[in-house]
Amino acid sequence: MNCEVFQSLTSPLHLPDNPPNYYISIDLITNTITSLSRLLFASFGSKVINEVQNEENCLNYRTKQGFMPIWLRGNYNACYSTTSNVTDAVSPAFIIPDYNLSSPKYSTWTESVWHEVHIRMFLRQSFKLQIIIFVLGVLIFLFSFIIIKKMYDQSGIHFNNQEE
């Protein structure tokens, strides 16, 4: 992650050199890509909040509805008002005490998580077998044209071509 814009937005934090995790969770557990995207969107389309001079006051600042304050580090080093937001995606069914989970009022769904990474390999046949299959395919293709030509030539015998 050696993008100058990301480095500026995240300084003095150090970005990992390994590829980031692309998993997007329904919880507020954010990954590197989600955080960087939010910072990037905030840096390009947000307005500076001049009344706020430090990061602590920025996080507690009240903005208009639909906007969130975010402190941008690095070259920006200011509080911005942005529409970029991160929220929990939790069904009310899990928040309401003693909620009847068989009720269709609120959705209750699960999230699949895999901890193992698999790779499936598809083996190729030997070159000799590939040539045999190709030649066989060409022969069947040519044989079908011969059959169709003979049937067309003899169609007058099998079907009466009566024009009225």
Side-chain angles (χ1 to χ4, degrees), residues 21-87:
N21 181 5
Y22 293 105
Y23 176 73
I24 298 175
S25 175
I26 60 164
D27 254 338
L28 269 180
I29 303 167
T30 56
N31 61 22
T32 307
I33 294 295
T34 304
S35 301
L36 289 176
S37 298
R38 181 170 187 243
L39 290 170
L40 186 65
F41 292 142
S43 70
F44 285 119
S46 304
K47 293 184 180 180
V48 178
I49 303 172
N50 293 320
E51 300 91 47
V52 180
Q53 301 303 319
N54 61 36
E55 191 170 352
E56 281 182 35
N57 293 342
C58 181
L59 298 177
N60 297 325
Y61 186 80
R62 293 192 147 259
T63 59
K64 293 187 287 185
Q65 186 174 359
F67 290 84
M68 294 288 293
I70 187 171
W71 185 265
L72 297 180
R73 296 181 174 100
N75 298 340
Y76 301 93
N77 209 26
C79 187
Y80 286 79
S81 177
T82 179
T83 55
S84 172
N85 192 7
V86 179
T87 59

Side-chain angles (χ1 to χ4, degrees), residues 108-121:
T108 53
W109 48 274
T110 60
E111 177 182 20
S112 299
V113 178
W114 293 277
H115 296 288
E116 289 184 28
V117 177
H118 290 55
I119 186 167
R120 289 179 19 177
M121 295 176 59

Side-chain angles (χ1 to χ4, degrees), residues 121-162:
M121 295 176 59
F122 298 95
L123 301 177
R124 290 178 49 190
Q125 300 91 358
S126 68
F127 185 72
K128 183 178 176 182
L129 185 57
Q130 288 180 7
I131 296 295
I132 291 170
I133 291 172
F134 176 75
V135 170
L136 188 61
V138 170
L139 289 175
I140 291 172
F141 177 74
L142 294 173
F143 183 68
S144 65
F145 271 109
I146 293 169
I147 298 284
I148 290 170
K149 174 70 172 136
K150 287 192 181 245
M151 288 178 66
Y152 181 76
D153 290 342
Q154 296 178 4
S155 64
I157 298 169
H158 299 291
F159 304 103
N160 286 336
N161 292 336
Q162 297 175 358

